[in-house]
Amino acid sequence: MEILSQMWSFLGLLTVLQNVLPSQLLSLLHSFYESLQDLFSPYSYFEIPEFNGYCGVDVNDLYRHVNLYLNSVNPAGSSTCRRLTLSRSRSSNRISFTVAPNHTVHDSFSGHSLSWTHHVDTVQDSVEEKRSFTLKLPKRHRQTLLSAYLDHVTSRAEEFERVSRERRLFTNNGHGSYDSGWVSVPFRHPSTFETLALEPQLKKQITEDLTAFANGKEFYHRVGRAWKRGYLLYGPPGSGKSSLIAAMANYLCYDVYDLELTKVTDNSELRALLLQTTNRSIIVIEDIDCSVDLTADRMLKSSNTSTTAKTKRSSSIKEMGSRIASSTCGNNNNNNGEESGRVTLSGLLNFTDGLWSCCSEEKIIVFTTNHRDSVDPALIRCGRMDVHVSLGTCGPHAFKVLAKNYLGIESHHALFDVVESCIRAGGALTPAQIGEVLLRNRGNVDLAMKEVVSAMQAKVLSGGEVMECDELVITRSPESVVVVGSPENWDSSPGGKYGNRSKKRKEGTKANFLVRLRSLTKSDSGRKGV
């Protein structure tokens, strides 16, 4: 009882001193008390406010990173934090956790214990709140811990923000010179590398290359190259080029910019569109050989050179030379307005690997085409399109992936051997063709497999051609491959490295195909569904 009375007396004395002593003296006494506390405390404390300065306008990125970092370490599963605030924003697909006011979350780094305390103070005579995080770490190791730990927090926060935010699909609206030349919708394509109909080796090569690119920031800066990667996807219609792009975006958690070159008026607008793209994005130009007539520029310039050397040519050549002169003068001469104001080959080259390609980082540029030979070689040489992926017909493993996706076949089916024999005999189909058959008969597994076998047999007997889609003829294509480097470094001619495979396998395959197919069908005739 006596102790309580003494405590009340001491508190009353403090109250009286607060009212009597000047505020400057009280502030000095408070600072002296904190200095004594810091001197004898084994910990150091660092405050991270929500805003920089006192105006409350400039947001402190470190405060945001700490909040994201605490979400990434999942404080909801920690027993040290008794209260959390839950929220979900439109730009994120996850529920975020915020440490409640004046609560603490403990963490560990390099074998040391640290803690974060969230302070929320109400500003006097205002409805606003002052928020901050206080980091507590061992005083003896603060010199070695602080910088490394904050780098770890920032890196982890940026990674968490990348994978948790809502991804967007952008397309240009034809007004690239304005503030926003892009319009977007949420990107929710379900394609992943697990559901993609590709052979295992091809999947492994692509995913390893994407991972190395995403983790290669220091490498690209060290060698002095723009942090970008170029992909050329080519193959027959329905071979899965668009699905592969979606799988790449989902794998890296990147936004997708679908650039429609026919809506771009000139090179200036193309540069403006490029400047508006963000980091961690995939820029796609589909059917690059059909978008704009880029090769014509160099053909016309070549004709102009020959016209200069030979002055006496026909009138048609002279007219072509005059058109070239007007087009090669650039966009400065806009008197006629006929050839000026268009995307040129040089403008697109600057877009891929020129000075304007390094305006932002961590970008992947993807060109797609159905006919690789129709693409100008200048667009796909080394340094522009680093990886060339040939997408063809389905192999045995890719077919099993489709069967699992559409029909739910987990184990071996009786007709898998027949399908594999048809593929080896030249009856392979594209993923789109097989997917259409399986989708149409997804309620009957055996009927779906029979129709696929029938389509493959028809292709073999017709000499490698089959009409599966309306007005679309698909011929046998090389098996899907990925090649790093330009096409000049590898041979795809009929007698080359890749074209020679089908020729060697073709000899003698069709001769015994019907015999092998008959034996497989006969051995499986007693099974259900055959």
Side-chain angles (χ1 to χ4, degrees):
M1 225 29 206
E2 185 178 355
I3 297 177
L4 288 177
S5 62
Q6 290 179 356
M7 288 181 60
W8 282 111
S9 301
F10 180 72
L11 291 176
L13 179 62
L14 289 179
T15 305
V16 172
L17 289 176
Q18 269 188 328
N19 295 327
V20 174
L21 294 177
S23 59
Q24 294 83 355
L25 181 59
L26 290 175
S27 177
L28 182 62
L29 291 174
H30 181 69
S31 300
F32 179 73
Y33 171 75
E34 287 186 344
S35 300
L36 288 178
Q37 188 180 19
D38 292 340
L39 180 63
F40 294 102
S41 175
Y43 298 100
S44 292
Y45 298 86
F46 299 91
E47 185 177 0
I48 301 175
E50 184 179 8
F51 297 98
N52 295 321
Y54 298 97
C55 58
V57 176
D58 186 15
V59 179
N60 188 355
D61 284 339
L62 189 54
Y63 177 90
R64 183 175 60 87
H65 288 162
V66 171
N67 210 355
L68 291 170
Y69 171 75
L70 295 179
N71 276 268
S72 67
V73 298
N74 193 13
S78 176
S79 59
T80 58
C81 188
R82 303 188 307 273
R83 182 172 297 180
L84 297 170
T85 303
L86 306 182
S87 62
R88 173 183 284 170
S89 63
R90 294 182 178 180
S91 61
S92 177
N93 55 10
R94 296 188 181 187
I95 297 177
S96 60
F97 305 94
T98 303
V99 181
N102 302 319
H103 282 69
T104 301
V105 174
H106 295 277
D107 193 17
S108 61
F109 180 75
S110 298
H112 300 281
S113 297
L114 308 94
S115 66
W116 291 99
T117 303
H118 190 207
H119 297 287
V120 178
D121 300 323
T122 302
V123 180
Q124 188 176 5
D125 298 332
S126 175
V127 295
E128 297 181 356
E129 295 179 334
K130 181 181 178 182
R131 300 180 181 88
S132 64
F133 279 104
T134 299
L135 171 63
K136 184 180 79 171
L137 50 78
K139 183 185 297 184
R140 293 176 55 189
H141 306 283
R142 64 180 181 180
Q143 296 294 336
T144 57
L145 275 181
L146 182 61
S147 179
Y149 181 64
L150 292 181
D151 290 342
H152 168 72
V153 168
T154 300
S155 176
R156 186 80 174 266
E158 291 178 348
E159 177 66 18
F160 178 79
E161 185 179 29
R162 180 177 66 86
V163 300
S164 61
R165 67 182 179 86
E166 182 183 58
R167 293 184 296 279
R168 309 289 296 182
L169 173 62
F170 295 83
T171 184
N172 50 313
N173 55 19
H175 303 287
S177 58
Y178 296 96
D179 292 338
S180 179
W182 300 93
V183 292
S184 66
V185 295
F187 180 75
R188 296 168 181 168
H189 200 290
S191 178
T192 62
F193 280 100
E194 287 74 19
T195 62
L196 209 58
L198 291 178
E199 296 302 313
Q201 184 63 23
L202 181 60
K203 287 185 182 181
K204 181 180 179 182
Q205 287 179 294
I206 296 176
T207 54
E208 288 180 351
D209 185 78
L210 292 174
T211 303
F213 168 77
N215 299 330
K217 179 178 181 179
E218 296 181 358
F219 169 78
Y220 279 90
H221 288 182
R222 179 168 55 84
V223 300
R225 291 190 57 176
W227 190 11
K228 69 174 187 63
R229 193 80 168 153
Y231 274 76
L232 174 68
L233 310 183
Y234 63 96
S239 55
K241 296 184 288 293
S242 298
S243 297
L244 178 56
I245 294 173
M248 293 166 61
N250 288 328
Y251 182 78
L252 295 174
C253 299
Y254 283 6
D255 292 328
V256 178
Y257 288 84
D258 185 13
L259 179 60
E260 182 63 45
L261 283 181
T262 56
K263 293 183 180 180
V264 183
T265 57
D266 52 24
N267 294 334
S268 298
E269 183 177 340
L270 183 63
R271 287 192 294 268
L273 288 170
L274 177 62
L275 290 173
Q276 294 168 14
T277 58
T278 59
N279 295 343
R280 300 186 180 95
S281 59
I282 299 178
I283 303 174
V284 181
I285 302 180
E286 294 190 287
D287 299 322
I288 183 65
D289 55 319
C290 303
S291 297
V292 289
D293 189 10
L294 299 171
T295 310
D297 294 341
R298 299 205 301 175
M299 294 176 63
L300 293 176
K301 289 179 182 179
S302 177
S303 301
N304 189 30
T305 304
S306 62
T307 303
T308 305
K310 300 178 181 180
T311 56
K312 296 181 180 182
R313 300 290 298 272
S314 62
S315 59
S316 60
I317 299 298
K318 291 180 180 180
E319 293 176 358
M320 180 184 295
S322 63
R323 289 197 302 269
I324 299 164
S326 61
S327 63
T328 54
C329 286
N331 296 331
N332 295 328
N333 187 7
N334 294 332
N335 295 329
N336 296 329
E338 295 178 355
E339 292 295 326
S340 62
R342 62 188 181 91
V343 178
T344 62
L345 179 62
S346 61
L348 193 58
L349 295 181
N350 286 330
F351 164 77
T352 55
D353 71 339
L355 293 176
W356 290 98
S357 65
C358 58
C359 60
S360 55
E361 293 186 323
E362 200 171 352
K363 288 184 179 179
I364 294 179
I365 302 174
V366 179
F367 290 166
T368 70
T369 179
N370 295 335
H371 309 284
R372 183 180 57 85
D373 296 336
S374 302
V375 183
D376 194 293
L379 282 172
I380 57 177
R381 70 163 177 81
C382 282
R384 293 188 176 123
M385 293 297 105
D386 306 289
V387 181
H388 300 253
V389 182
S390 172
L391 299 174
T393 54
C394 284
H397 185 275
F399 175 80
K400 292 180 181 179
V401 172
L402 290 176
K404 178 182 178 181
N405 294 341
Y406 285 91
L407 306 178
I409 302 177
E410 297 286 348
S411 59
H412 184 79
H413 191 271
L415 291 180
F416 275 169
D417 293 336
V418 181
V419 169
E420 186 173 353
S421 298
C422 291
I423 292 175
R424 292 179 179 177
L429 304 176
T430 62
Q433 292 173 309
I434 296 176
E436 179 62 28
V437 175
L438 299 182
L439 180 64
R440 185 171 59 246
N441 302 281
R442 63 185 183 276
N444 191 328
V445 176
D446 295 330
L447 180 60
M449 294 293 294
K450 282 183 179 181
E451 285 204 19
V452 172
V453 171
S454 299
M456 290 183 174
Q457 291 175 355
K459 183 176 180 180
V460 174
L461 296 178
S462 62
E465 297 184 357
V466 60
M467 181 78 71
E468 282 293 328
C469 304
D470 295 338
E471 300 180 359
L472 180 62
V473 178
I474 302 298
T475 59
R476 186 181 183 188
S477 62
E479 58 189 65
S480 300
V481 294
V482 57
V483 179
V484 179
S486 62
E488 294 83 358
N489 296 333
W490 50 278
D491 187 9
S492 61
S493 60
K497 178 179 179 181
Y498 295 101
N500 200 25
R501 295 180 180 174
S502 59
K503 183 176 180 181
K504 290 182 179 180
R505 288 201 301 257
K506 188 175 180 181
E507 297 177 357
T509 303
K510 284 189 178 181
N512 59 7
F513 169 71
L514 294 177
V515 177
R516 184 174 181 181
L517 181 62
R518 190 180 299 112
S519 62
L520 288 171
T521 308
K522 184 177 179 181
S523 62
D524 295 332
S525 60
R527 303 180 184 179
K528 182 180 178 180
V530 182

